[in-house]
Amino acid sequence: MTLAVCGAVSACADTSNTPASQRGFFGGIGAAVSGSDERRAAGLEQSATDAERKKQQLEARLGAANADAARTQVQVQAAEQRLAAVRSDLQRQKERLAALRAGSPSGSSAEEAARLQKELDALERERRAAQDASTAVTTATLRNLEERTRAIGVALDRLGAV
């Protein structure tokens, strides 16, 4: 008979979505017999576990994003410093070339001075373009500018020795 009463109580009390505080006595008995409270608790625990796992994943992604941002900032600053060094070198080379030209080089020296002036002008344009895009400038571009600037320095040394 007890089983029949419990079956009747559980059939009458739909407790799957009703909070325990609103079920009353028979609703509580029905929830105990049907196991809906345990299923609901298990579902809530699984939701909490999923939310915690997602939170940890998001925190890890945030940490990685912050590390990438810091690394990128360091790279941008390094690129800006290298571009500033190239700018200084180019300025010194322009001044040196102007002084050499003032010394009236003639013949092949004048041709070499004109070629160096064109190369310096081209390098200056490329440096400005790289400066404008300093967040996207590549290491290869910086290396190319530095190597070409050194090559002009060597050519100026040869021109000055003539």
Side-chain angles (χ1 to χ4, degrees), residues 60-126:
R61 287 175 55 193
L62 177 62
N66 286 338
D68 285 347
R71 188 173 31 260
T72 299
Q73 182 62 30
V74 167
Q75 290 170 340
V76 167
Q77 288 172 344
E80 288 172 348
Q81 289 172 349
R82 288 174 72 181
L83 285 169
V86 168
R87 185 185 74 229
S88 295
D89 289 346
L90 287 174
Q91 184 58 41
R92 280 191 298 275
Q93 290 172 348
K94 286 178 183 181
E95 291 167 2
R96 186 166 175 210
L97 181 59
L100 289 171
R101 286 179 126 179
S104 306
S106 60
S108 64
S109 294
E111 290 173 12
E112 178 65 3
R115 184 190 72 75
L116 289 174
Q117 184 65 54
K118 285 181 185 177
E119 182 67 18
L120 281 169
D121 292 342
L123 268 171
E124 182 60 28
R125 284 190 301 275
E126 290 176 38

Side-chain angles (χ1 to χ4, degrees), residues 3 15 18 20 40 59 67 76 80 86 90 92 94 99 110 113 115 123 127 131 139 142 146 150-151:
L3 187 57
T15 60
T18 307
R40 188 172 187 195
E59 286 173 347
V76 167
E80 288 172 348
V86 168
L90 287 174
R92 280 191 298 275
K94 286 178 183 181
R115 184 190 72 75
L123 268 171
R127 186 207 56 83
Q131 184 75 40
T139 303
L142 288 168
E146 291 164 341
R150 280 190 293 275

